[in-house]
Amino acid sequence: NPSTPTDPTMTAAGFYRNPAAIGLAVSPDTNGFYDVGEIYKAAPADAKIVFVLRHAERESGLGKESPLTEVGLQQALDVGAKLKSDESFYYGATDFLRTQTTAAKIAEGRGETTEVVTMEEINGGYFLTVPSDSLDAMVSKRGGSFKYVAMWAYEQPFPTLLVNLGLPGYFYDLMERGDQFVNEVVLANLPYWKRVNVLITHDLLTEPLAVYASNRTIDLKTYESYRWINYVAGITVVVTADGKVAVLPTRGVERGFLNTRDMVK
């Protein structure tokens, strides 16, 4: 049965990880990411597409009003240019300035003026059983959330102290929750959206989603390689007219990952 969890080419819910399985002629880069523009151009005209991407580069500061940098503004415009066409898209984002601005600038890059819908269901804590602040409080002095989110996503054991403190219980099962996201957030809403949809969220959601979509084959192992999901990167969900679904790790800029050591510098 190809839809069993033991088949690496499909998720347990029967979503394909190989674009060729749904007739999509695109290839990943050497790091395993698919380019947003290439996916859009290769998808059949009757297929539906949902891009779930991290916001563009922002200024320092974790508050809701932290704006995009000049680089970030250009990143979003460039993503929009890759998706340029005459059709209108649906745009959703969390209620943060950086996500709302990213979505609006992607639309601008496409030559489109549109409303950005605020979506609570794509918040960064989707894979957490506790508020993200609780995770930060637990690990902030032990290497930070990047390290432990990546360790959980790649099934690496936590240090004994954190196990005793119950950190594993802070997370849902990656693969089950990933399937749930596609089913309950993406597919359930598709009838109310447009053919192509851009959802802008945060790295705490897009990092696990990209690992899930790749079946843990891409390297976002912050604890080992210092790689973390890049700005305007995440996943794409493609749904064919006959109901086949593919989930693909996706990048909007040159690379799908950034280096956390460079961020510290």
Side-chain angles (χ1 to χ4, degrees):
N1 183 352
S3 65
T4 60
T6 56
D7 185 346
T9 66
M10 296 184 78
T11 75
F15 305 141
Y16 293 93
R17 292 186 167 108
N18 180 2
I22 64 166
L24 199 61
V26 291
S27 299
D29 62 22
T30 55
N31 297 301
F33 288 88
Y34 296 84
D35 180 77
V36 292
E38 293 178 7
I39 294 172
Y40 181 53
K41 291 179 176 65
D46 58 358
K48 293 189 175 183
I49 307 169
V50 181
F51 298 106
V52 185
L53 305 173
R54 184 187 180 186
H55 57 78
E57 183 183 276
R58 63 171 174 82
E59 298 285 357
S60 60
L62 299 177
K64 285 189 174 184
E65 299 304 312
S66 178
L68 298 185
T69 63
E70 289 299 318
V71 170
L73 292 169
Q74 190 61 52
Q75 287 174 335
L77 289 169
D78 291 345
V79 169
K82 290 183 178 184
L83 302 172
K84 201 158 190 176
S85 70
D86 293 332
E87 69 177 317
S88 63
F89 288 8
Y90 174 94
Y91 297 88
T94 63
D95 62 348
F96 283 60
L97 177 61
R98 55 185 176 269
T99 56
Q100 294 275 329
T101 304
T102 300
K105 286 295 180 180
I106 289 175
E108 182 180 332
R110 298 191 65 245
E112 183 178 15
T113 302
T114 188
E115 173 192 8
V116 178
V117 179
T118 299
M119 298 179 60
E120 290 298 328
E121 59 266 47
I122 60 170
N123 70 78
Y126 189 84
F127 283 91
L128 297 176
T129 63
V130 299
S132 58
D133 289 348
S134 298
L135 174 66
D136 291 337
M138 173 73 80
V139 302
S140 62
K141 296 181 180 179
R142 298 180 174 93
S145 59
F146 288 174
K147 174 181 177 180
Y148 291 100
V149 168
M151 292 180 75
W152 155 74
Y154 287 96
E155 298 185 303
Q156 296 301 302
F158 295 125
T160 302
L161 175 61
L162 291 179
V163 170
N164 292 337
L165 291 173
L167 187 61
Y170 281 32
F171 298 96
Y172 288 102
D173 178 86
L174 173 70
M175 297 303 176
E176 290 179 3
R177 191 68 167 167
D179 278 344
Q180 186 176 345
F181 180 88
V182 175
N183 270 316
E184 297 184 0
V185 177
V186 175
L187 301 183
N189 282 307
L190 266 185
Y192 313 104
W193 293 345
K194 298 185 178 180
R195 188 184 81 86
V196 184
N197 311 274
V198 177
L199 311 183
I200 304 299
T201 179
H202 305 270
D203 53 354
L204 203 57
L205 176 59
T206 54
E207 164 91 5
L209 280 177
V211 177
Y212 149 79
S214 75
N215 197 33
R216 299 188 173 99
T217 58
I218 59 172
D219 182 2
L220 293 174
K221 301 175 181 177
T222 311
Y223 56 90
E224 180 179 275
S225 63
Y226 298 96
R227 291 185 176 188
W228 183 253
I229 194 76
N230 205 353
Y231 298 108
V232 284
I235 69 167
T236 303
V237 181
V238 182
V239 184
T240 63
D242 60 357
K244 293 179 181 176
V245 179
V247 290
L248 308 173
T250 303
R251 58 174 174 82
V253 292
E254 184 178 357
R255 293 192 314 183
F257 66 92
L258 50 77
N259 192 301
T260 54
R261 288 174 296 191
D262 294 337
M263 293 170 62
V264 172
K265 293 175 185 178

